[in-house]
Amino acid sequence: MTRTTLARAPLAFEGDRTGERDAADAVPRTGGAGPGDPGPGSVLLVTHVPLRRIGGRLCLDEQTCAGLERWGENFTRITFTGIDAGEGASADIQASAVWRPVADLACANRLTVIALPEAYRLLPFAQHYSSTRRRLAEAIRASRYLCYTLGSLAGDWGGVAALESIRQGRPYAVWFDRVEHAVIRRTSAGAPFRRRLKNALSLPLMVRYHHRLIARSALGLFQGRDTFGAYAPRARHPFCVYDTHTTRADLIPEEAVAEKAKTLLGGAPLNLVYVGRASAMKGPLDWLETLRLARGAGLRFTATWWGDGPMLGAMRSRAEDLGLVDCVALPGFEGDRERLLAAMRGAHLLLFCHLTPESPRCLIEALVCGTPLLGYASPYSEDLVARDGGGRLSAMDDPAALAAHLVALDGDRAGLATMVQAAARTGTRFDEETVYRERADLLRRNL
């Protein structure tokens, strides 16, 4: 039986982490159940989120910390596992997040954090498997509700936790925020032969492994329609859920919506924005090509891509080659959340060119900010704008069609102003408080 609801991911999945340390960090807690005694309000979250040590203090990225505080509003005790990046985290990890000490969280006295080893290669995974499974077995016995993020084969401790839960006869939930095998296949298309061969051999195994763990789960939580469509048929109780870090206070005020519409009707150049990592799966070169084609058709605009990533240098070189440096800004990572929200509230459109089946939060954040979506169609993006019409979508891998939509919207300012209002209406559906509460209710009802 299929269900649809709004809920919040426990934490965002990110792979390819660096650093290996077989260590656990416990944040002191008071109250709750003792070791081996699953209290009625205890939850275990096994994730791929990196943990850093900064100045000797255990830290998580700002968004994960906000999520844990929301979980703390719904459960009396939380056990959270992430991947230990240690003191020497890679430059990519350090530059793409704002880090907070775990001990400073409002729920710190009810939170236990376990740092698991980074083991995405076969040999480290084999070396750490037995000891890590024992630690997960203890955490499972000490928790009432179990929720695991799955995403790979080697080093996927969420999958190991699921295997251990099956052994113990414990019901568990699985969480997917993207179709991992499809993402890997798409992003490695131009990779060296050795990597493509490895993927050709391992991806079918990954798919069968995930399908088995989904089928044995008591609850399947699949973020967005792409992920839901890929995995729901394998689950006994599947739900389509959405991820957001926004609150009711972040919703664009009605007067700001009216002002944005007024600016559009006044003929101002279009203000385009994107917020996310400059990586191949986000289609950054398609994004620039769309802008080149639109400018060639006479469009006046400014466009800003906020975010760091492995392709940022290539984007800057390409923008210069295309003669776009006077109208395209690529400032890199911005850690000020309020500044990013202000940039999205001030934009007329969120332009995106996502190339893989995932569920990026920036689309929801744009709608919360009253900014319509203009980008490549996918079940995820189509579902977001289906009810109110807060966007316009075109076929994937076709910058020319996207540029044509952009030029057409510039010529129909009244229609674009209506889309702004529709986007703001859609945005009211998404806030952290509601989706966390609904997700917690799903765990309580199904586990």
Side-chain angles (χ1 to χ4, degrees):
M1 182 166 53
T2 299
R3 295 282 190 270
T4 302
T5 188
L6 295 180
R8 167 67 165 79
L11 299 147
F13 163 75
E14 295 183 18
D16 298 327
R17 298 304 175 194
T18 61
E20 293 180 24
R21 187 181 302 181
D22 191 20
D25 287 272
V27 177
R29 64 174 186 261
T30 59
D37 178 16
S42 57
V43 63
L44 169 65
L45 306 170
V46 179
T47 80
H48 298 248
V49 173
L51 295 156
R52 286 188 64 198
R53 288 176 177 80
I54 303 175
R57 304 188 76 191
L58 190 68
C59 298
L60 283 163
D61 68 272
E62 186 176 44
Q63 291 185 339
T64 297
C65 288
L68 284 172
E69 290 183 325
R70 291 296 181 199
W71 283 115
E73 295 170 357
N74 290 280
F75 293 98
T76 58
R77 184 163 58 85
I78 309 105
T79 301
F80 170 84
T81 83
I83 304 301
D84 190 354
E87 294 274 4
S90 71
D92 185 51
I93 292 176
Q94 295 182 47
S96 17
V98 175
W99 299 88
R100 289 177 57 191
V102 174
D104 292 349
L105 300 186
C107 59
N109 66 328
R110 297 180 288 111
L111 171 65
T112 298
V113 176
I114 301 173
L116 300 179
E118 185 277 327
Y120 293 114
R121 291 168 295 165
L122 190 57
L123 182 57
F125 183 52
Q127 291 172 335
H128 291 295
Y129 183 89
S130 295
S131 60
T132 303
R133 181 157 178 169
R134 285 195 298 270
R135 291 165 62 195
L136 289 169
E138 294 172 3
I140 289 167
R141 284 190 288 268
S143 301
R144 172 65 180 83
Y145 301 103
L146 312 172
C147 184
Y148 309 138
T149 301
L150 308 185
S152 60
L153 281 170
D156 186 1
W157 300 123
V160 174
L163 293 174
E164 178 60 27
S165 296
I166 294 169
R167 190 191 71 79
Q168 293 188 23
R170 296 290 307 282
Y172 63 91
V174 292
W175 169 273
F176 285 83
D177 68 353
R178 64 188 193 185
V179 186
E180 189 67 23
H181 62 274
V183 170
I184 294 173
R185 187 176 292 116
R186 172 77 190 228
T187 55
S188 64
F193 174 75
R194 183 176 177 179
R195 182 181 172 192
R196 287 186 283 116
L197 177 61
K198 175 186 175 183
N199 289 341
L201 297 173
S202 64
L203 290 183
L205 296 175
M206 179 191 293
V207 172
R208 289 196 292 272
Y209 178 57
H210 288 167
H211 285 175
R212 178 193 172 197
L213 297 182
I214 292 168
R216 297 293 297 272
S217 70
L219 175 65
L221 301 170
F222 307 115
Q223 183 181 311
R225 283 289 167 183
D226 296 75
T227 308
F228 183 82
Y231 295 123
R234 305 285 175 171
R236 286 182 289 170
H237 295 100
F239 287 78
C240 181
V241 297
Y242 287 96
D243 182 19
T244 180
H245 288 291
T246 54
T247 67
R248 302 298 296 179
D250 295 323
L251 292 172
I252 186 171
E254 290 184 9
E255 56 270 22
V257 174
E259 182 60 29
K260 188 185 294 195
K262 180 180 177 181
T263 301
L264 283 169
L265 295 174
L270 290 184
N271 178 3
L272 312 174
V273 71
Y274 181 77
V275 178
R277 286 177 50 74
S279 62
M281 63 191 292
K282 307 298 184 182
L285 300 186
D286 281 23
W287 191 80
L288 290 172
E289 178 64 10
T290 298
L291 296 176
R292 181 190 72 83
L293 293 170
R295 189 175 191 182
L299 184 70
R300 296 181 306 131
F301 66 87
T302 59
T304 304
W305 181 302
W306 297 91
D308 206 346
M311 291 191 67
L312 184 59
M315 287 187 73
R316 287 171 173 161
S317 296
R318 184 62 173 161
E320 186 172 354
D321 293 341
L322 297 177
L324 295 173
V325 293
D326 61 326
C327 58
V328 172
L330 303 166
F333 175 71
E334 173 56 61
D336 188 334
R337 180 177 181 273
E338 292 306 316
R339 187 178 183 192
L340 290 176
L341 288 174
M344 280 199 280
R345 291 189 194 104
H348 300 132
L349 287 163
L350 179 87
L351 179 65
F352 65 96
C353 300
H354 299 146
L355 299 173
T356 59
E358 55 164 342
S359 308
R361 286 188 303 272
C362 62
L363 271 62
I364 290 176
E365 290 163 352
L367 295 169
V368 168
C369 293
T371 300
L373 310 182
L374 179 67
Y376 287 164
S378 70
Y380 174 69
S381 57
E382 290 171 340
D383 188 47
L384 288 178
V385 301
R387 187 167 75 181
D388 294 309
R392 185 169 296 182
L393 308 170
S394 62
M396 195 174 290
D397 296 311
D398 193 348
L402 200 54
H405 279 319
L406 188 53
V407 173
L409 285 171
D410 183 58
D412 180 16
R413 294 301 185 95
L416 184 50
T418 299
M419 283 177 59
V420 167
Q421 296 165 345
R425 285 196 301 275
T426 301
T428 61
R429 297 164 51 198
F430 300 98
D431 68 271
E432 270 190 344
E433 298 93 335
T434 300
V435 297
Y436 262 97
R437 183 173 60 253
E438 291 183 353
R439 177 173 168 76
D441 287 344
L442 286 175
L443 293 178
R444 283 188 281 264
R445 288 202 304 269
N446 290 277
L447 304 186

